[in-house]
Amino acid sequence: MNRKFRILAAASLTLAIAGCVNEGELVVNQGVGVTTVLGQCPGVGIPDYTGDITLFGNSGSKTADNLDVTATITGLRSNCDESSTDDLVYTSATFNVNARRRDATGARTLELPYFVTVLRGGTAVVTKRVGSVQLSFLDGETRASSSAEAGAFVNRDEATLPVEIRQQITRRRRPGDPDAALDPLTDPQVKAAIQRANFELLIGFQLTEDQLAYNVTR
């Protein structure tokens, strides 16, 4: 699967030339140093192609006349408090699922599975669990919605840059210094440390291979 994320709260470091210092940003300090603010809270987002699910009728045909139910994850919000002294940082998330069915005849209850994954460094799965959200269609209604909650822990030490890496990034560089014009973020050790400290909390529908392929190619 092509790994592109709609990140709602960036935990990875980005470089900014001007503006306010926000959590997770690096800001160049008048060309002579870098000020860093890095939080331990993970970024929260929905992996591409997993925010929607389409169910078809029993014939298996993926055509409009065989469409059964479509659903979308919306309103993803997160809350994380890194001010505690615990070794683990907890992030909670809430989201809505809006669904629509083709046939409004009769009342119907439907459960859709979703996953909650903590990813480290963009590739390593730390934890994963699967839950389900229940949708109830009233007789004569084509639309239904529901809400769900999720959460995960991140190890505080693992989400924190080592002291020596932080010092290397933030060390003031005076004009005329041999490395004054060098971007510390291009150093392979710095880049690797930033990647290791980067955690993401990802939420999406638990799709079958066919469902995922449909989302990718439609």
Side-chain angles (χ1 to χ4, degrees), residues 71 97-99 108-112 133-137 144-146:
V97 174
N98 297 328
R108 180 182 178 185
T109 299
L110 178 67
E111 286 196 0
L112 297 177
V133 58
Q134 187 177 88
L135 296 157
S136 296
F137 293 93
S145 63
S146 186

Side-chain angles (χ1 to χ4, degrees), residues 91-118:
T91 299
S92 62
T94 59
F95 59 94
N96 302 319
V97 174
N98 297 328
R100 183 172 183 175
R101 62 175 176 169
R102 184 168 178 266
D103 184 358
T105 304
R108 180 182 178 185
T109 299
L110 178 67
E111 286 196 0
L112 297 177
Y114 65 88
F115 67 84
V116 181
T117 296
V118 174

Side-chain angles (χ1 to χ4, degrees), residues 19 36 49-50 74 84 88 112 153-154 215:
T36 181
Y49 313 122
T50 67
T74 64
S84 69
L88 298 176
L112 297 177
F153 290 94
V154 168
N215 284 356

Side-chain angles (χ1 to χ4, degrees), residues 24-37:
E25 292 183 347
L26 292 178
V27 178
V28 176
N29 183 12
Q30 298 179 352
V32 295
V34 176
T35 299
T36 181
V37 178

Side-chain angles (χ1 to χ4, degrees), residues 38-192:
L38 176 64
Q40 290 93 27
C41 292
V44 178
I46 303 171
D48 272 2
Y49 313 122
T50 67
D52 303 277
I53 188 170
T54 302
L55 305 180
F56 292 93
N58 294 330
S59 71
S61 175
K62 295 180 175 59
T63 57
D65 59 351
N66 193 43
L67 187 66
D68 182 22
V69 175
T70 59
T72 304
I73 294 176
T74 64
L76 179 59
R77 295 179 176 84
S78 65
N79 182 54
C80 176
D81 181 10
E82 61 183 46
S83 63
S84 69
T85 58
D86 296 338
D87 294 335
L88 298 176
V89 177
Y90 182 73
T91 299
S92 62
T94 59
F95 59 94
N96 302 319
V97 174
N98 297 328
R100 183 172 183 175
R101 62 175 176 169
R102 184 168 178 266
D103 184 358
T105 304
R108 180 182 178 185
T109 299
L110 178 67
E111 286 196 0
L112 297 177
Y114 65 88
F115 67 84
V116 181
T117 296
V118 174
L119 202 66
R120 183 181 187 184
T123 57
V125 175
V126 179
T127 62
K128 179 181 178 179
R129 70 176 183 84
V130 177
S132 63
V133 58
Q134 187 177 88
L135 296 157
S136 296
F137 293 93
L138 299 177
D139 183 21
E141 296 291 335
T142 59
R143 297 178 183 273
S145 63
S146 186
S147 59
E149 298 182 0
F153 290 94
V154 168
N155 185 287
R156 184 183 299 276
D157 288 340
E158 293 177 350
T160 302
L161 284 176
V163 175
E164 62 274 14
I165 297 297
R166 187 179 292 268
Q167 290 175 343
Q168 183 176 347
I169 294 174
T170 60
R171 181 176 62 83
R172 290 183 61 86
R173 293 162 174 82
R174 300 180 182 279
D177 287 351
D179 61 350
L182 297 179
D183 182 358
L185 301 182
T186 61
D187 186 295
Q189 290 185 337
V190 172
K191 292 172 66 175

